[in-house]
Amino acid sequence: MVTEGTALDGQGREDGQPAGKVPTGRADVVAGLTVAAVGVAVTAIAVQYPLGTLRRMGPGYLPVVLGALLVLLGLLIALSRPDAGMRIARQRARPILCVLGSLAVVVAVVDAAGLVPAIMLAVPVAVAAEDGGSLLHSVVLAAAIAALVAAIFVWALGVPLPLVRF
Amino acid sequence: MELLANLAMGFEAALSPVLLFYCAVGVTVGTMVGVLPGIGPLVAISVLFPLTFHVPPDAALIMLAGIYFGAQYGGSTASILLNLPGTASNAVTCLDGYPMARQGRAGVALFMTTIASFAGGCGALVVLIVLTPVIVKVALSFGAPEYFALMVLGLLAAATLSVGSPLKGIAMVVLGVLLGLIGTDVNSGQYRFVFGLPALADGLNLVALAMGLFGVSEIVGRLVAGDVTGRPERVGWAQMMASRDDMRRSRMPMVRGTLWGVLCGILPGAGPSLAAFLSYGAEKRVSRTPERFGHGAIEGIVAPEAANNASVQAAFIPTLSLGIPGDAVMALMLGALIVHGIQPGPNLIPENPGLFWSLVASFWIANILLMVLNLPMIGLWVRLLTIPYSVLYPAVLVFISVGVYSLRLSSFDVAVVLVCGAIGYAMQLVRLPTAPLLLGFILGAPLEENLRRALLISRGDLSVFVDRPIAATLLALSVALVAAATLSALLRRRRAALALREDG
């Protein structure tokens, strides 16, 4: 689980780190500076909204306060490096691109052509994330998933989804 | 007896075919995702969340709750048979469950964990029934300052009590609150952080956010890390007979596990994983034979399994009585209520007593169904462990996109899933926790609303948070929580630094 198992799952921990190398805590610096940068952006945008007073808070009041707080917290993370022992694990680009790519295919296709074409195109992209997935495997899988989606959403629940658009 | 009459009313509703059906769907799906390592309850709930838009609110909640409960029951299966936790909260069960399987006692382990889960669940439900109305009675006297203080406490507790750095947790809560403010400001009509996108005027879509942060990022994480494979042994009725000695050894650990679970369930941020860990540690400490732990001690599996199931059921206490979710799953439960126009908070039960009591009754039925599902049908669930991940994850991805798309036929929402998935995975890489972000998101708008109201009443005087005793106590607790978390983090660093120096 991403949420609560971070200390348990072990992935991306010190494994893969050459023995004897001092942990740099680079992950924390990246995290902290990114959080701080988001804080700066939030504050910069929010000061353009009416601030109001403490008695009558305008739409900008809380965002400005929280944006500033985010900058502070981000800098604290970068400086104190709470997870200094952790390193960013080596990444393989293919699974990341394929999973996100399959969603992008859905976004691009679904409005124009409907759900079934979107699924038929998105599943092969998703399958490509792993080695050894044949085209036949992905087409059969895509067809099975499309049938399941149609059965659950359209026939069982009666949601009017556009399965195919011309 | 008012309580009995209410319960009877609840059971009458819960035994209606519709609720029974959704309860059964929930627990079956929950057991399934619990058994399968790689998809946890949060992913399953985010995938099925869109379905809840199309069914009545009580059925929706019962189905989602069933998934959460079922995952706790099913999660121990892979822990015991494959030494792979089915969900994070079953990780501790590996320690003694897998050695039991190696000794040929897998059947006994599976039987006893199911019994322990049932005991933990029932214990927590009794506490839920007794405690929730009491908390509601107190909470009904709360005004805006108390609510604001309560939300601050809940958010900080969730940020600091969970595994990992409290500093990062708090940063993510703040970010979540800011994400919750995206859209139209209710007071002034001003657009905030909309970036000219009309689809953002109503705010960021909760489902899209949750699916991206949890569902998509988890799939990416697993694929990058490498696949999960394993071959479990066969288990049937005959192997499940626990001896009288097993029963005797398990009794007290179950009781203590349930207590840990209830405690962790009520505290925001603690949750089932911490409950399982704490109860395992406690059992080892009170045991007269601590050396047996790690080598197949039955106490080491029943206590954590009772604890994690008790915890997920007790988590409904703050969620239903105060409207403060303790973890990301509870945040989604509140989301399901909000979708149906039911405002969470202390008014929820007085205004919808039928909903509350039918929920309680359904929880009980869910536990009974889970016993039935897990004992005679265990062989089926074990077979499930042979489904390869390469078939599962494309299906989950498609269900996520179709589910989000079905809400308002908007491909923009699917794009939000994509972006949140990328962000969620990046957060995972640099160890920024995602659950506090979701809690902040859910509580963001009500937090601002109550802060505004409190300061309007007090004419801008901040002392309103100090002069009112309940608000002051809650805020003092928040400060104490942050101070304690900071202190313990500093101590841990000190110790780690010392250890490093000694090693070098």
Side-chain angles (χ1 to χ4, degrees):
Chain A
M1 291 297 299
V2 185
T3 46
E4 38 194 3
T6 39
L8 310 173
D9 58 18
Q11 61 167 274
R13 261 189 176 174
E14 277 151 303
D15 45 8
Q17 187 177 346
K21 196 173 169 195
V22 181
T24 55
R26 207 183 307 153
D28 281 346
V29 177
V30 173
L33 292 183
T34 312
V35 168
V38 171
V40 170
V42 165
T43 316
I45 296 170
V47 286
Q48 298 164 14
Y49 306 141
L51 283 179
T53 60
L54 206 48
R55 181 174 176 184
R56 281 187 190 280
M57 285 187 173
Y61 202 104
L62 194 62
V64 168
V65 173
L66 292 180
L69 188 59
L70 216 48
V71 175
L72 179 76
L73 288 166
L75 293 179
L76 276 176
I77 292 171
L79 289 175
S80 73
R81 297 179 199 170
D83 294 319
M86 313 283 190
R87 297 209 334 160
I88 302 179
R90 184 176 308 213
Q91 297 300 306
R92 292 184 298 132
R94 195 164 118 189
I96 303 176
L97 292 178
C98 287
V99 170
L100 298 181
S102 73
L103 291 172
V105 167
V106 174
V107 174
V109 176
V110 73
D111 283 335
L115 269 176
V116 172
I119 293 173
M120 293 307 290
L121 290 173
V123 169
V125 177
V127 168
E130 278 191 318
D131 299 316
S134 71
L135 191 65
L136 184 70
H137 163 78
S138 52
V139 170
V140 172
L141 187 62
I145 294 173
L148 199 64
V149 162
I152 294 180
F153 280 91
V154 182
W155 293 315
L157 286 167
V159 188
L161 289 179
L163 287 177
V164 184
R165 272 201 182 119
F166 298 102
Chain B
M1 280 294 283
E2 197 192 338
L3 183 73
L4 285 182
N6 282 332
L7 261 182
M9 179 182 77
F11 271 103
E12 204 170 309
L15 286 169
S16 69
V18 177
L19 290 194
L20 215 51
F21 172 75
Y22 283 104
C23 186
V25 170
V27 295
T28 311
V29 172
T31 310
M32 199 162 85
V33 301
V35 168
L36 290 170
I39 5 180
L42 203 54
V43 176
I45 289 173
S46 7
V47 171
L48 287 193
F49 193 83
L51 296 186
T52 63
F53 283 63
H54 313 294
V55 302
D58 45 357
L61 231 58
I62 285 160
M63 182 167 76
L64 296 183
I67 296 173
Y68 205 21
F69 300 168
Q72 306 306 320
Y73 275 83
S76 56
T77 309
S79 299
I80 292 168
L81 294 176
L82 297 178
N83 204 21
L84 284 170
T87 70
S89 52
N90 303 102
V92 196
T93 309
C94 292
L95 296 178
D96 280 286
Y98 188 61
M100 281 183 79
R102 299 287 299 273
Q103 294 157 13
R105 283 166 42 83
V108 176
L110 290 170
F111 178 78
M112 289 311 294
T113 50
T114 302
I115 301 289
S117 291
F118 186 73
C122 290
L125 283 180
V126 171
V127 179
L128 174 78
I129 290 172
V130 175
L131 204 57
T132 309
V134 179
I135 297 178
V136 167
K137 218 166 266 168
V138 176
L140 278 174
S141 64
F142 282 12
E146 282 79 16
Y147 272 119
F148 174 74
L150 192 66
M151 287 179 191
V152 169
L153 177 64
L155 287 176
L156 287 177
T160 53
L161 287 179
S162 58
V163 198
S165 148
L167 199 56
K168 288 180 169 178
I170 295 171
M172 289 305 102
V173 160
V174 172
L175 188 61
V177 170
L178 281 166
L179 290 176
L181 298 183
I182 291 178
T184 317
D185 173 31
V186 281
N187 278 25
S188 61
Q190 165 92 42
Y191 280 176
R192 291 190 285 189
F193 308 106
V194 171
F195 306 107
L197 297 166
L200 277 182
D202 299 332
L204 208 53
N205 188 322
L206 163 76
V207 189
L209 180 79
M211 290 212 194
L213 281 183
F214 300 111
V216 174
S217 74
E218 195 167 311
I219 291 175
V220 174
R222 286 206 87 80
L223 287 174
V224 171
D227 209 349
V228 185
T229 41
R231 212 147 269 291
E233 55 176 301
R234 294 179 162 275
V235 179
W237 262 121
Q239 285 86 39
M240 296 177 73
M241 288 302 140
S243 69
R244 191 163 294 177
D245 183 52
D246 288 329
M247 293 293 218
R248 187 185 53 80
R249 281 178 186 280
S250 303
R251 211 170 298 137
M252 283 318 286
M254 278 187 208
V255 173
R256 285 188 291 260
T258 304
L259 292 177
W260 280 112
V262 169
L263 193 71
C264 289
I266 295 174
L267 281 175
S273 295
L274 191 67
F277 266 105
L278 287 176
S279 67
Y280 185 84
E283 282 315 312
K284 203 170 167 181
R285 227 169 299 132
V286 301
S287 171
R288 249 170 274 154
T289 51
E291 65 280 358
R292 284 174 42 253
F293 282 75
H295 303 284
I298 196 151
E299 300 92 318
I301 59 169
V302 292
E305 286 300 316
N308 63 29
N309 199 33
S311 159
V312 300
Q313 323 225 357
F316 276 94
I317 297 173
T319 309
L320 290 176
S321 62
L322 300 170
I324 308 279
D327 62 17
V329 174
M330 287 300 136
L332 284 173
M333 301 274 175
L334 283 190
L337 283 175
I338 295 168
V339 161
H340 285 281
I342 298 173
Q343 261 318 306
N347 283 321
L348 179 114
I349 298 173
E351 279 170 13
N352 309 280
L355 176 73
F356 175 72
W357 290 104
S358 70
L359 270 182
V360 169
S362 293
F363 291 174
W364 228 303
I365 293 169
N367 276 290
I368 294 168
L369 280 179
L370 279 165
M371 275 253 279
V372 175
L373 272 179
N374 272 275
L375 291 180
M377 288 167 67
I378 189 73
L380 203 72
W381 299 118
V382 173
R383 282 246 283 290
L384 207 62
L385 281 172
T386 52
I387 298 182
Y389 195 59
S390 57
V391 172
L392 278 178
Y393 81 86
V396 173
L397 271 175
V398 167
F399 268 86
I400 287 177
S401 26
V402 175
V404 169
Y405 183 72
S406 79
L407 300 183
R408 46 180 191 180
L409 303 188
S410 145
S411 57
F412 177 84
D413 286 348
V414 184
V416 172
V417 175
L418 199 171
V419 173
C420 290
I423 293 174
Y425 183 62
M427 286 172 66
Q428 196 182 331
L429 285 182
V430 297
R431 300 236 163 306
L432 286 170
T434 39
L437 192 150
L438 190 69
L439 292 193
F441 178 77
I442 291 266
L443 291 181
L447 187 81
E448 187 188 39
E449 187 53 37
N450 281 294
L451 178 64
R452 276 175 165 167
R453 214 178 289 159
L455 287 172
L456 192 66
I457 298 164
S458 77
R459 295 158 203 262
D461 188 356
L462 281 172
S463 67
V464 67
F465 295 111
V466 188
D467 292 343
R468 300 181 61 132
I470 299 179
T473 313
L474 291 169
L475 286 177
L477 276 174
S478 312
V479 173
L481 206 63
V482 173
T486 315
L487 206 65
S488 84
L490 286 178
L491 282 176
R492 217 180 313 141
R493 276 175 78 88
R494 189 80 179 272
R495 225 174 295 143
L498 280 178
L500 203 71
R501 213 171 302 153
E502 275 162 27
D503 286 348

